[in-house]
Structures are given as structure tokens and as C-alpha cells.
Amino acid sequence: MTQLSDTQAVILSTACAREGGLVLPLTTSLTGGAVNAVLGSLIKKGLIEPTAAEGGAPIWQEGDDGTPLTLRATPAAYAALGIETDVIADVPPATPRRRRDGSKQEMLISMLKRPEGASIEEICSGFDWQPHTVRGAIAGTLKMKLGLAVISEKVEGRGRVYRLDEPAE
């Protein structure tokens, strides 16, 4: 399993929650050489990759031929965060994705199907994830990739609790 620093995990979680897996703009307070060091490390690990910047995507740098480039998360980034995805694309798939039984994604959905839902802390302890990974999985995979209606509410004694608005298929 790929070891990630907290900063790398935040950058990847945010990217995986965005449409198309775009890394930029960064949501961390890195400056100067630290930005290049962290991004270079993620590229070297194969977790992000340069791609042509299209449709107003933020520009990271220019390619050798002058093509504006941005960065996006690779399938390895989703896997490193425990987020299951069949295809990473800029457009949602036309047909619903098939989910594997027993996968972390399916187990997360099961937790959210319960009438009482699940809190961030419960999900973190169930999967040995960090809170930002849970939020990334909910926002990126469940809401954006699978189109599930996830609602949240504050519950006294449990904190923020998430559940599916409608049962998943």
C-alpha cells in the first residue's frame, strides 16, 4: 500500500472528489518549493499525472510543445484512498456501475443504508480511514461517481451523521 503524508492525502482526496479528478487548484496552504516537491512526489508515485488542460481547467505548466497542462488523479490514487472506481472520466457513465460484493465501497453503502446512518468516526474506525478520506469517498465516489443521494445531519452525541436518502440498488 502506498504511504501518503497528510498533505498528499488531502490533495488526493480533494482531487478524487472533483469531476475529472482535477488536482488544481490546491486546497492546502503549501507555497513555493513545497508545492513542487509534493506534486513531484505524487507524480513519481503514479498517483497524479499531467494531462492537457481543457475547458478552463487550471494550468500547472506548459508541455514541451507549449500545450497547457493540468494535473489529475490516476486510478492508482483512487485505489490508494480505498475509493473504488471502474473508469475515471470527465463525464458520468450512461449506465449505472456494477458494484462488487464485499468491497469497501459496498460496505460503506451498507453502513449508510441503515436507518441510523453512520458518523464520520464510525466509518473511520470501520475502515481505518482518516476523516478526509471518508468525506472524499462520500463526495467523490458516492455522490459524484455513483449519483447516490447522501444526506447529513448533526445528531447529538454522534456528531455529523450520513445516510442514503433513498436505498441504493
Side-chain angles (χ1 to χ4, degrees), residues 56-137:
I59 297 172
W60 169 56
Q61 67 181 24
E62 287 188 1
D64 294 335
D65 61 355
T67 302
L69 300 173
T70 192
L71 295 168
R72 79 173 195 189
T74 66
Y78 290 81
L81 295 174
I83 300 171
E84 298 212 5
T85 180
D86 296 332
V87 177
I88 300 170
D90 292 335
V91 256
T95 58
R97 295 184 180 182
R98 188 179 68 75
R99 296 187 291 267
R100 291 190 335 237
D101 291 335
S103 68
K104 287 184 180 180
Q105 176 180 301
E106 199 57 36
M107 293 184 328
L108 177 59
I109 290 170
S110 293
M111 289 178 83
L112 300 181
K113 277 183 175 180
R114 302 179 309 192
E116 70 273 16
S119 70
I120 293 276
E121 292 78 22
E122 293 164 352
I123 297 169
C124 284
S125 65
F127 294 99
D128 195 29
W129 285 352
Q130 296 293 317
H132 62 266
T133 304
V134 173
R135 288 187 291 275

Side-chain angles (χ1 to χ4, degrees), residues 4-92:
L4 299 173
S5 69
D6 289 343
T7 302
Q8 290 172 327
V10 167
I11 290 170
L12 288 181
S13 294
T14 302
C16 290
R18 290 182 177 148
E19 186 173 342
L22 293 178
V23 173
L24 302 174
L26 294 179
T27 57
T28 63
S29 59
L30 294 177
T31 58
V35 172
N36 292 333
V38 171
L39 294 179
S41 172
L42 291 171
I43 291 169
K44 187 175 180 181
K45 291 179 180 185
L47 299 172
I48 63 174
E49 64 186 359
T51 187
E54 298 174 354
I59 297 172
W60 169 56
Q61 67 181 24
E62 287 188 1
D64 294 335
D65 61 355
T67 302
L69 300 173
T70 192
L71 295 168
R72 79 173 195 189
T74 66
Y78 290 81
L81 295 174
I83 300 171
E84 298 212 5
T85 180
D86 296 332
V87 177
I88 300 170
D90 292 335
V91 256

Side-chain angles (χ1 to χ4, degrees), residues 125-162:
S125 65
F127 294 99
D128 195 29
W129 285 352
Q130 296 293 317
H132 62 266
T133 304
V134 173
R135 288 187 291 275
I138 290 171
T141 302
L142 301 185
K143 286 183 174 182
M144 292 176 62
K145 301 284 183 207
L146 298 177
L148 298 176
V150 181
I151 58 172
S152 72
E153 61 185 338
K154 285 221 175 201
V155 175
E156 192 170 328
R158 289 181 70 201
R160 174 105 8 226
V161 174
Y162 296 85

